[in-house]
Amino acid sequence: MKKFRKVLDGLTTSSPGGTIGSPSCGSAAGTPTSAPTPKDIDIQETLVAENFQLCKTVRHGFPYQPTALAFDPVQKILAIGSRTGGVRILGRPGVDCYCQHESGAAVLQLQFLINEGALVSACADDTLHLWNLRQRRPAVLHSLKFNRERITFCHLPFQSKWLYVGTERGNTHIVNIESFVLSGYVIMWNKAIELSTKTHPGPVVHLSDSPKDEGKLLIGFESGTIVQWDLRGKKADFRIYYDEAIHSVSWHHEGKQFMCSHSDGSLTLWNLRNTTKPFQVTFPHGKIQKDGRKESCKPILKVEYKTSRNSEPFVVFSGGLSYDKAGRRPTLTIMHGKAITVLEMDYPIVEFMVLCDTPYNNEVQEPYAVVVLLEKDLIVVDLTQSNFPVFENPYPMDVHESPVTCTAYFADCPPDIIPILYSIGAKHKKTGYSQKEWPISGGTWTLGSHTYPEIIITGHADGSIKFWDASAITLQMLYKLKTSKVFEKPKPGEGRAADLVEEDPFAVQMVSWCPQSRIFCVVGISAHIILYRFSKYDANTQIVSLDVRLQCESDDVITPSENENNPCFPEPGSHSPQPHHQYPASPSSGTPEGNKDSIPCLKVKDRVVRVPPGYQAELVIQLLWVDGEPPQQITTLDINSAYGLLAFGNCSGLVVVDYLQKTILLCMSTLDLYGAADPYQRLTRSPRRNRQSTSGLTELSDNQQSIDMERSKSPTSVHYPTSLHNDPRVLPEPVASLRASHCSPVYYLLDNDHVNGHCTSPTSQPSAGKPRVPMGPEGPRLTRRGPGRPPFRKAQSAACMEISLPVSHTEESRENSFSRSRSSSVSSIDRDTKEAITTLQFGESYGRKTDALPTPCLWVGTSLGVVVVIPMSVPTEQEERMEEPVTIGPSGVVLLLKGSVLRFGFLDCMGVLIQSPHEVWRDLNAPEDPDRPRRRKLINFSPSSSQDTCGEGHLAVVCSERQAKVLLMPSQSCLFVHNITESSFVLRADVVSVCNSVCLACFCANGHIMTLSLPSLRPLVNVNYLPLTDMRIARTFCFTNGGQALYLSSPTEIQRITYSQEMCDNLQEMLGELFTPIETPEAQNRGFLKGFFGGNAHTFDREELFGEAAAGKASRSLAQHIPGQGGVEGMKVAASGVVGDLARARVALDERGQRLGELEDRTALMMTSAETFSKHAHELMLKCKDKKWYQF
C-alpha cells in the first residue's frame, strides 16, 4: 500500500490525462486530472452495468385522490381506484399491490370477477380494462375503448361473463368479458322509455339484475326514471317516473322491493306489485319545521339495503343531512330497525360498500362490516356490534396524518432497534377498536429470505416524527415523536412568534439519525434544532437551550487593510476595533434586555418536564431574529456521536456545537471560513452587528491558550494549488434573469403536484444578470452584499429549492418540468448572492497536506462548489472529553466543483466505504450498576485505529450538482473527475453499498437516475425514470444501501424503488399473492315452493341472448378492442410458475376451440348433405310405395 501512495503522490498536474476505457471526458469513466492512472492502483472494481436494473418495488400509504371501490367477498380483497389512474389492491397485511393505467385517466368504477382472479376497471377516457390478478404483478389482458359514447355505470352479475355498461346517452351495452367484444344486443334509451315521453331520461346511473329473475334488468336514469327491462322479451316490464333525481338503487334480496336514494335527501321504497307510487318515502334527516314543511336536505349519494336473518334489515347511506347546519362533517348513517346511528367522518366520503357473507344477491345478505372510503382515509365499521366500532387498520394509511415534509431511509439497521422502537410505540396506541379480525384478509404473503432491518423516518408539518418498519417491503408504524412538546405553545400577539401561529412553526425540515448511538436530530422550519437521546426509562429533565446569532451584515464590508492579516478562524473582536459581546458558552439562553429583536422564533419550556420512554429532548439550538429580520432556514446538518459534535449551516454561515458540554465552538460566516484562501478573492464581512454592538458568536473554545495557538497559525499553512483559480472547468456560465418566488419549501411539498414553470438549482439565487467571474489575486476585489430578506413565513434559504416563474409564454416556459437548462451555481457570485453551506460531513480525515495521521475533521461544501476541510482536536477519554475543550484548527480550500456540493463519501485504499466514527448506545437513565459503570464506547475512533491507517491515506468522494471528483488524501490530488450532467443538475446524491461494493448514486432534476463506479467514476447505469419531476419528489427522494431508494409520489403515498438487479430478481418472491384458489360457496337450496313460485331465474341463458348467433355483431365504430400486455406479451413475463402454465393452457384452449369450430362447420355441412339425402330417399320411397314388384 505504501507503493500505492507513492504512485498517487507522484501524479503531476502538467497535462490532462485520457480516461480509462473512454477517450472523452465524462462518458465511460471519470477523467484523471493528471497523467493516466498507473496500473499499480490496486482497487478492483466489481460492479458492472449488469448489476443494475431499475424497477418499482412497492407503494405505501393512502391512495391519493381516490375515486372508486370494489370488494371480492370470496377472495376477500379490496380494490381502490384513483383520479390519476392508479389501482391499489389490498388483502391481508403484506398483500398490497399497486397498478397504473397507462393512460392516467381517472378510474370511474371497479368490478371484481368474483373468485376468478380478475378485475374490470372503467376509466374516464371511456375505456374498459380487464386485469389479471392471478400473478403477483397484475397486468391488463384486454381493453375496450368506446368511441361514440361515454361510460357512466357498469354492472357484472355474479358468475356471469356478460358485463352491462350504461352510457351518458342512456343506452345500455353488453360486453363479453372473455373476448372483450361488444354484443349486438343493445338496450336503446328510446326503447326503454315510453314513446310518449318527450324528454331524454339522462345518463344511466344504475344497472342491476333482479334477485328474483336474472332475465330482468333494472335500469336507473339520472332524471328519476326507472325501467325494468325484460331481456328475453326485449321490452319494458314497468316504468317509474319520479320527480327527484336518482343517485343509487339497492334491491331487497327477495327481489320484490328495491330502495332508491334521491337528490332531495329522501329514500323511496318501491314494491313491484304497485309501481305507480313509492311504497314508502322517508327523509331520515329531514325535520318538520314550524310551518309544517320539511327541511331541505342534501342528496343521499348512495344507499345499500341489506337483510339479516336474526334482526331487522340494515339501511346504510351517505349524505342526506339538512342544509341548515353549516360546517357539519360528512356522515355515514346506519338505520337498523328504528335505531338510527350517525357516524361523523373526518373527510368527505368518496364511496362505501357493505360487506356481506354471501356473494349471491338472492340470499339473505347478513352484513358484517362497512368499508368507507374517504378522501384521505379508509375506515371499516363493525356492524355486528351495537355501538358500531371501527376496525384497527393494519395498513399504513396514516402516512399523511400531517403532511409529510421530509423523509429519510435507513437500510441494514442494527437488528435490535426495531423491536425496541415497537415496544415503546405500542404503549401509546389508541384503544376502542373492534376486537374482531380485520375483514379484508385475502391473498397470501410470506417473509422472504432476502430481508434485513430497514427503517423509514418521515417528518411532518405539525412537527411530528414517525419511525416506520420497512423490512421485507412492508410498512408498519413503530414509534411517533412530537417535537412540538419541547416548546411552549405560541400565543397570538406575543412577540415575533405571533407571525407564525397560523402557519406550521414546528414543521420538520430535515432529520439526522445515528442508528448505532440512537442519537436523533431534528431541524425545524423555525430555524431550530432539537437533539434527542433514546432511553427505555422515563425521566424528569430540563431541556438545555442554546441561542445562536448567525446573520451577516448586509452593508458592513471590511477593507483589505483591515482583513489583510486575519487568520482563517478569527477570534472574537477581530473584525472591528469596537468591543464585542461574546455569548457565554453555557446552557443559559438569556438575551440582552435592550434588544427585543434578539429572540428565537419559539420559546423552549424552561421548567423540569416529565418525559416518557423513547426519544427524550436534551438540547435545543435556535437561531435568533436580528434587527427585525428572521433567521435564515438551516440548509444542512451533521452529527457525530463519537466526537460529541453537531454542525449545521445556512446561507449566513456555519455553526459547530459541542452537545456534550453544551457549548458553541464555532459560529462564523461562510466567507470567514476561507480567510485569505478565498478562491474568489472577495472581501469578507463581519457577522451582523446590531446597533448595540452585539457581535456574532465566534467562540472557538473556553481555553485562552487554544485561542492564542490559533492566532499564531498562518492561513496559508495549508498549501492550496493556484491552478484552481484559473481552472477552466469552473468558469461560470451565464445566469438567466429569472424571478424567484420566495416560498418555504415545506409548503411547496404540501401543495404542488407539478411545478408550473421551471425549477432552478437548490442553490441558485436571483441575480442582476451580470455574471461574476472568479478573479486571480491581482484581479479586482469584489464587494459582496446580501439581499433584503423577505418575511420569515415566505423566507427561502439558499440551499432550498426555488421556482422561477415563467416570464413569457414560450414553448419552454410551458413545460411542467424543472429540468430545463439553468446556469451553474458557480456563476452566481454577484452582489445579490449568498453562499450557503449545503453539506457537512464529520469523519476521520486529513485537514492538511502535511498531516501524517488522520484526525477528526469536518468537511464543508458550499453552494458555490467550494470544499473546505476543518481539522479538530477531540479528546478521547470520557473524563477529558467532558472537561477539556474541543479545539478547531484552520484550513483552506481543498477544491472547486461545478454547482453546489451535495455529498461527501470516504473510501479506504481498498475501495471499501469508511463508516463514520460513532458511539455505542448507552442508556443514560438506566439504574447505576457499580460492577459495570457506564462508559463511552467508541467505534472507528481511537489512536490505535488511526495508527493502523497512518501510512495509507484514504479517498474522498465529492459530488456536486454537475460534477463528481475523487481525491487522494492527504495529498489532495484529484484522481478522477466526471461531469455528471450538462443539461440538468443533480438533486440527490449518495455513496451507497450495492452487491458487496460501493457506487455513487445520483438523481437528476430531469428524472434520470444514474450510478457511477468508485473510485473511477465510470458510468454504470443511466435511466430516464421520471420524465416529469415535481417539487415533492425533489425534496423527498433519498437513496440507501442495498440498491434501494424512495420518494413521496403523492402527498399521501411513499414509492419505493430499487436499482439493484439482485433485488429485482428476488422481488417476485417478496411480493404477496393476490389470488388464492378457493371454492365458490354453494347457493342455498331455495326449496320447491320458492323455486316454483319465485320465477325461473336459473333457466336464464345469457349466451343464447347476447351471443353473436342470436344478437349479431356490434358496430365496429362503437368500440375498439385493444389487446393488453397481460395477453401474449404478458406471457413472456409470466413464463414461469402457475401463471405461465395457465396462460399457455389458455392459448392451447383457444387453438383447440378454433379447430373445434372448423370441425363444427364440416359437421354442419355433412348434416346438410345427410338431410338432403334423407329427403330424396323419402321421396323415392313414397313414389315406389304402391307399385307391385312387376311394375319396376
Side-chain angles (χ1 to χ4, degrees):
M1 280 299 116
K2 290 184 178 180
K3 182 180 180 182
F4 167 74
R5 186 180 176 200
K6 289 178 182 178
V7 169
L8 295 180
D9 285 341
L11 298 178
T12 62
T13 56
S14 57
S15 61
T19 63
I20 297 178
S22 173
S24 60
C25 174
S27 55
T31 305
T33 57
S34 58
T37 307
K39 295 181 180 178
D40 293 327
I41 295 181
D42 191 18
I43 297 181
Q44 186 68 34
E45 294 183 0
T46 58
L47 290 178
V48 292
E50 286 71 25
N51 294 124
F52 297 92
Q53 180 185 347
L54 195 68
C55 70
K56 295 180 180 179
T57 54
V58 68
R59 180 172 292 206
H60 303 298
F62 181 76
Y64 184 54
Q65 294 179 330
T67 55
L69 184 69
F71 182 72
D72 187 327
V74 179
Q75 289 289 321
K76 295 191 182 301
I77 55 176
L78 186 80
I80 301 173
S82 72
R83 192 175 300 174
T84 55
V87 178
R88 281 282 289 281
I89 305 172
L90 304 168
R92 68 177 67 248
V95 179
D96 187 343
C97 180
Y98 174 77
C99 318
Q100 176 67 43
H101 291 91
E102 290 185 0
S103 64
V107 178
L108 298 179
Q109 198 176 348
L110 295 170
Q111 288 269 317
F112 275 106
L113 276 67
I114 295 175
N115 203 29
E116 293 187 27
L119 176 72
V120 175
S121 60
C123 295
D125 60 350
D126 306 309
T127 306
L128 297 173
H129 304 274
L130 179 64
W131 293 84
N132 178 18
L133 306 185
R134 296 188 178 225
Q135 54 194 56
R136 293 178 188 255
R137 284 188 173 274
V140 174
L141 288 169
H142 301 283
S143 297
L144 188 66
K145 168 73 173 173
F146 281 73
N147 297 322
R148 295 184 300 186
E149 297 197 50
R150 309 214 66 180
I151 299 172
T152 56
F153 195 86
C154 298
H155 170 64
L156 180 65
F158 178 47
Q159 293 181 326
S160 168
K161 68 174 185 179
W162 298 95
L163 174 73
Y164 302 114
V165 181
T167 68
E168 194 175 42
R169 292 186 180 179
N171 302 325
T172 301
H173 300 275
I174 300 170
V175 178
N176 187 320
I177 290 297
E178 292 181 350
S179 60
F180 235 62
V181 295
L182 274 177
S183 166
Y185 193 112
V186 183
I187 305 172
M188 304 300 290
W189 68 270
N190 54 354
K191 298 289 180 65
I193 64 172
E194 290 180 339
L195 296 177
S196 60
T197 306
K198 298 180 180 179
T199 57
H200 191 280
V204 175
V205 296
H206 177 81
L207 292 168
S208 62
D209 51 329
S210 170
K212 188 177 179 181
D213 186 353
E214 293 178 348
K216 312 287 186 180
L217 181 68
L218 193 70
I219 307 172
F221 297 94
E222 188 181 60
S223 64
T225 301
I226 301 173
V227 176
Q228 179 167 292
W229 185 261
D230 184 352
L231 293 170
R232 299 185 196 85
K234 299 182 181 180
K235 62 179 181 178
D237 285 344
F238 62 82
R239 299 178 177 93
I240 296 173
Y241 299 98
Y242 196 67
D243 296 335
E244 295 295 335
I246 291 176
H247 286 280
S248 69
V249 181
S250 182
W251 280 98
H252 187 279
H253 80 275
E254 292 179 351
K256 299 175 182 179
Q257 295 177 338
F258 61 87
M259 184 176 288
C260 301
S261 67
H262 300 277
S263 58
D264 62 347
S266 66
L267 295 174
T268 56
L269 187 63
W270 299 84
N271 196 314
L272 298 192
R273 292 182 179 178
N274 182 12
T275 57
T276 56
K277 63 178 182 178
F279 174 72
Q280 183 181 354
V281 179
T282 57
F283 288 82
H285 296 298
K287 297 178 182 178
I288 300 177
Q289 298 175 340
K290 292 181 180 180
D291 57 0
R293 292 185 303 174
K294 287 192 176 181
E295 294 178 310
S296 59
C297 297
K298 299 176 183 177
I300 295 179
L301 300 178
K302 183 177 180 179
V303 65
E304 291 211 25
Y305 185 23
K306 302 297 180 183
T307 53
S308 177
R309 283 191 182 87
N310 302 321
S311 65
E312 297 287 329
F314 284 86
V315 177
V316 184
F317 63 90
S318 61
L321 293 177
S322 59
Y323 280 104
D324 61 338
K325 295 183 180 179
R328 290 188 65 176
R329 294 196 293 180
T331 60
L332 183 80
T333 305
I334 302 174
M335 298 172 62
H336 188 213
K338 295 183 179 180
I340 299 179
T341 305
V342 179
L343 305 179
E344 289 191 338
M345 303 295 169
D346 292 332
Y347 307 102
I349 297 174
V350 176
E351 174 73 286
F352 75 88
M353 185 168 288
V354 178
L355 308 187
C356 302
D357 284 333
T358 176
Y360 298 94
N361 65 347
N362 58 357
E363 296 179 357
V364 179
Q365 299 297 288
E366 293 293 346
Y368 60 89
V370 183
V371 179
V372 188
L373 178 63
L374 308 177
E375 276 191 1
K376 294 184 179 179
D377 203 357
L378 179 71
I379 292 174
V380 182
V381 181
D382 186 355
L383 290 180
T384 61
Q385 300 182 43
S386 58
N387 59 339
F388 302 129
V390 298
F391 290 88
E392 184 177 5
N393 196 329
Y395 313 128
M397 293 290 186
D398 57 345
V399 172
H400 63 288
E401 183 179 16
S402 173
V404 179
T405 54
C406 74
T407 58
Y409 192 7
F410 299 88
D412 211 5
C413 299
D416 59 337
I417 190 71
I418 290 179
I420 289 178
L421 286 173
Y422 181 78
S423 63
I424 292 179
K427 298 175 183 178
H428 304 286
K429 281 193 173 182
K430 296 179 181 178
T431 57
Y433 293 110
S434 172
Q435 299 301 312
K436 295 197 172 182
E437 290 187 3
W438 180 252
I440 306 166
S441 56
T444 56
W445 179 77
T446 55
L447 193 66
S449 57
H450 302 274
T451 59
Y452 43 84
E454 298 175 74
I455 286 181
I456 293 173
I457 300 176
T458 55
H460 300 265
D462 63 353
S464 61
I465 304 284
K466 291 181 180 178
F467 289 78
W468 305 86
D469 177 10
S471 308
I473 70 169
T474 61
L475 197 70
Q476 183 180 9
M477 175 80 152
L478 290 175
Y479 175 71
K480 183 178 180 180
L481 174 68
K482 294 181 179 180
T483 63
S484 59
K485 290 187 175 181
V486 174
F487 303 99
E488 303 284 359
K489 291 183 179 180
K491 297 179 181 179
E494 277 194 7
R496 295 288 178 187
D499 296 337
L500 290 170
V501 172
E502 67 273 20
E503 298 285 355
D504 291 309
F506 310 114
V508 179
Q509 232 179 338
M510 66 183 76
V511 296
S512 178
W513 187 46
C514 177
Q516 289 79 17
S517 64
R518 302 182 190 173
I519 286 182
F520 185 57
C521 267
V522 179
V523 177
I525 197 174
S526 299
H528 65 271
I529 297 172
I530 310 174
L531 184 142
Y532 290 90
R533 283 185 183 271
F534 187 83
S535 175
K536 294 189 290 184
Y537 304 91
D538 56 1
N540 294 320
T541 183
Q542 182 163 4
I543 302 166
V544 179
S545 176
L546 288 178
D547 293 345
V548 179
R549 187 183 179 89
L550 182 61
Q551 294 279 24
C552 289
E553 190 65 67
S554 59
D555 52 1
D556 288 352
V557 179
I558 304 302
T559 61
S561 60
E562 290 179 30
N563 195 43
E564 200 169 40
N565 299 317
N566 282 350
C568 289
F569 295 92
E571 64 277 3
S574 66
H575 284 296
S576 170
Q578 292 181 345
H580 289 258
H581 170 77
Q582 181 177 332
Y583 272 69
S586 67
S588 66
S589 59
T591 56
E593 286 292 329
N595 188 358
K596 294 183 179 180
D597 280 331
S598 294
I599 61 171
C601 299
L602 302 170
K603 184 180 179 182
V604 181
K605 291 180 179 177
D606 56 0
R607 61 186 182 276
V608 176
V609 293
R610 184 79 172 173
V611 289
Y615 273 104
Q616 301 168 351
E618 179 179 295
L619 176 66
V620 177
I621 306 167
Q622 295 192 87
L623 298 183
L624 300 174
W625 286 66
V626 178
D627 292 344
E629 295 180 1
Q632 294 292 331
Q633 292 173 17
I634 295 166
T635 56
T636 183
L637 169 102
D638 192 37
I639 187 169
N640 190 281
S641 57
Y643 303 157
L645 299 179
L646 180 151
F648 65 93
N650 61 9
C651 58
S652 299
L654 172 68
V655 178
V656 181
V657 175
D658 182 344
Y659 68 79
L660 294 178
Q661 298 187 21
K662 311 296 189 294
T663 57
I664 300 170
L665 300 177
L666 182 70
C667 175
M668 61 169 52
S669 69
T670 312
L671 293 181
D672 291 333
L673 291 175
Y674 303 145
D678 184 2
Y680 295 106
Q681 295 299 307
R682 296 158 294 194
L683 294 185
T684 57
R685 279 198 320 243
S686 66
R688 174 181 290 272
R689 298 190 303 271
N690 62 15
R691 294 177 179 84
Q692 298 186 4
S693 301
T694 303
S695 75
L697 291 171
T698 53
E699 178 185 358
L700 297 178
S701 66
D702 295 334
N703 195 330
Q704 182 64 30
Q705 181 181 358
S706 65
I707 296 177
D708 295 336
M709 179 186 70
E710 298 303 328
R711 287 180 181 174
S712 64
K713 294 182 180 178
S714 167
T716 56
S717 60
V718 178
H719 175 68
Y720 181 74
T722 56
S723 61
L724 280 175
H725 292 293
N726 303 312
D727 191 344
R729 286 186 298 276
V730 298
L731 288 179
E733 303 170 14
V735 183
S737 180
L738 301 173
R739 295 184 299 170
S741 67
H742 292 270
C743 293
S744 166
V746 173
Y747 303 112
Y748 275 126
L749 200 68
L750 313 184
D751 301 328
N752 286 9
D753 278 329
H754 290 281
V755 178
N756 185 15
H758 313 299
C759 174
T760 62
S761 155
T763 54
S764 63
Q765 292 282 337
S767 70
K770 197 171 184 180
R772 180 63 57 96
V773 181
M775 304 300 292
E778 298 180 359
R781 300 176 73 83
L782 307 177
T783 305
R784 178 178 168 129
R785 299 178 183 273
R789 298 177 183 84
F792 176 73
R793 280 181 293 165
K794 298 301 180 184
Q796 174 83 359
S797 64
C800 297
M801 303 293 175
E802 288 197 354
I803 301 174
S804 301
L805 300 178
V807 180
S808 60
H809 298 284
T810 60
E811 183 76 25
E812 186 173 324
S813 69
R814 283 193 294 267
E815 290 288 334
N816 222 7
S817 167
F818 61 22
S819 60
R820 287 300 169 201
S821 62
R822 47 167 289 280
S823 60
S824 171
S825 299
V826 178
S827 62
S828 303
I829 312 166
D830 56 15
R831 298 177 189 273
D832 289 339
T833 303
K834 291 181 179 182
E835 184 172 9
I837 306 295
T838 54
T839 186
L840 296 166
Q841 178 81 48
F842 285 107
E844 297 285 292
S845 187
Y846 301 86
R848 306 168 186 85
K849 286 187 176 181
T850 55
D851 288 351
L853 295 176
T855 59
C857 289
L858 176 63
W859 283 65
V860 182
T862 75
S863 57
L864 299 186
V866 182
V867 177
V868 180
V869 181
I870 302 174
M872 298 173 294
S873 175
V874 182
T876 56
E877 294 298 326
Q878 182 171 351
E879 291 77 10
E880 293 180 4
R881 179 65 187 84
M882 299 304 297
E883 296 174 1
E884 296 295 324
V886 175
T887 57
I888 299 179
S891 184
V893 176
V894 174
L895 80 160
L896 287 171
L897 290 90
K898 296 181 182 178
S900 65
V901 183
L902 299 178
R903 182 66 65 184
F904 298 118
F906 306 114
L907 309 177
D908 63 15
C909 295
M910 298 298 292
V912 179
L913 185 64
I914 299 175
Q915 301 295 334
S916 295
H918 62 269
E919 176 188 3
V920 177
W921 174 70
R922 56 198 175 105
D923 197 335
L924 298 180
N925 296 334
E928 291 285 351
D929 186 355
D931 298 331
R932 299 180 61 185
R934 291 195 304 266
R935 299 188 61 84
R936 298 184 74 210
K937 183 179 179 182
L938 307 181
I939 307 297
N940 297 339
F941 175 44
S942 65
S944 60
S945 65
S946 299
Q947 200 70 32
D948 294 339
T949 59
C950 64
E952 301 296 336
H954 70 82
L955 302 177
V957 182
V958 186
C959 184
S960 74
E961 291 178 327
R962 299 292 187 86
Q963 212 173 37
K965 290 186 178 183
V966 176
L967 309 177
L968 174 67
M969 302 300 289
S971 66
Q972 300 180 6
S973 305
C974 184
L975 302 182
F976 298 97
V977 60
H978 177 76
N979 293 323
I980 299 173
T981 178
E982 295 295 339
S983 60
S984 184
F985 57 94
V986 178
L987 288 169
R988 194 73 49 155
D990 210 345
V991 178
V992 294
S993 60
V994 181
C995 300
N996 299 318
S997 187
V998 291
C999 67
L1000 178 64
C1002 302
F1003 173 59
C1004 294
N1006 59 6
H1008 282 248
I1009 293 177
M1010 57 187 73
T1011 58
L1012 306 173
S1013 68
L1014 290 176
S1016 67
L1017 298 177
R1018 175 172 44 89
L1020 295 170
V1021 69
N1022 186 349
V1023 180
N1024 186 9
Y1025 173 65
L1026 292 167
L1028 281 179
T1029 303
D1030 61 40
M1031 185 61 61
R1032 182 182 304 104
I1033 296 174
R1035 288 283 299 168
T1036 58
F1037 196 99
C1038 50
F1039 292 102
T1040 190
N1041 294 328
Q1044 296 195 78
L1046 67 79
Y1047 59 90
L1048 211 64
S1049 58
S1050 73
T1052 62
E1053 293 171 289
I1054 294 174
Q1055 178 68 59
R1056 291 165 67 180
I1057 63 173
T1058 181
Y1059 47 94
S1060 164
Q1061 178 66 56
E1062 181 182 5
M1063 186 163 184
C1064 288
D1065 294 341
N1066 298 324
L1067 188 59
Q1068 289 292 327
E1069 177 192 343
M1070 300 168 73
L1071 294 173
E1073 287 274 6
L1074 293 172
F1075 179 79
T1076 52
I1078 301 174
E1079 286 190 13
T1080 303
E1082 293 184 2
Q1084 294 178 1
N1085 188 2
R1086 304 181 69 198
F1088 173 77
L1089 293 177
K1090 282 192 176 181
F1092 186 78
F1093 294 105
N1096 52 350
H1098 296 282
T1099 62
F1100 178 60
D1101 187 0
R1102 292 186 178 90
E1103 180 70 34
E1104 184 181 335
L1105 278 176
F1106 306 145
E1108 187 176 325
K1113 292 185 178 180
S1115 171
R1116 291 185 178 181
S1117 61
L1118 184 60
Q1120 175 188 0
H1121 177 258
I1122 305 169
Q1125 294 181 350
V1128 179
E1129 297 86 351
M1131 284 181 215
K1132 299 175 184 176
V1133 180
S1136 61
V1138 179
V1139 176
D1141 296 334
L1142 287 172
R1144 285 189 289 271
R1146 178 68 179 269
V1147 172
L1149 284 172
D1150 289 344
E1151 294 173 352
R1152 183 168 177 257
Q1154 186 176 357
R1155 290 194 294 270
L1156 285 173
E1158 295 172 355
L1159 180 61
E1160 186 179 357
D1161 292 340
R1162 290 197 296 269
T1163 305
L1165 289 174
M1166 291 176 65
M1167 287 181 65
T1168 304
S1169 176
E1171 286 177 1
T1172 305
F1173 178 79
S1174 174
K1175 183 180 178 181
H1176 288 309
H1178 185 67
E1179 291 175 352
L1180 185 61
M1181 183 268 295
L1182 291 175
K1183 184 179 181 180
C1184 303
K1185 181 174 64 172
D1186 297 327
K1187 289 186 178 182
K1188 302 295 182 181
W1189 62 271
Y1190 53 84
Q1191 291 177 332
F1192 286 98

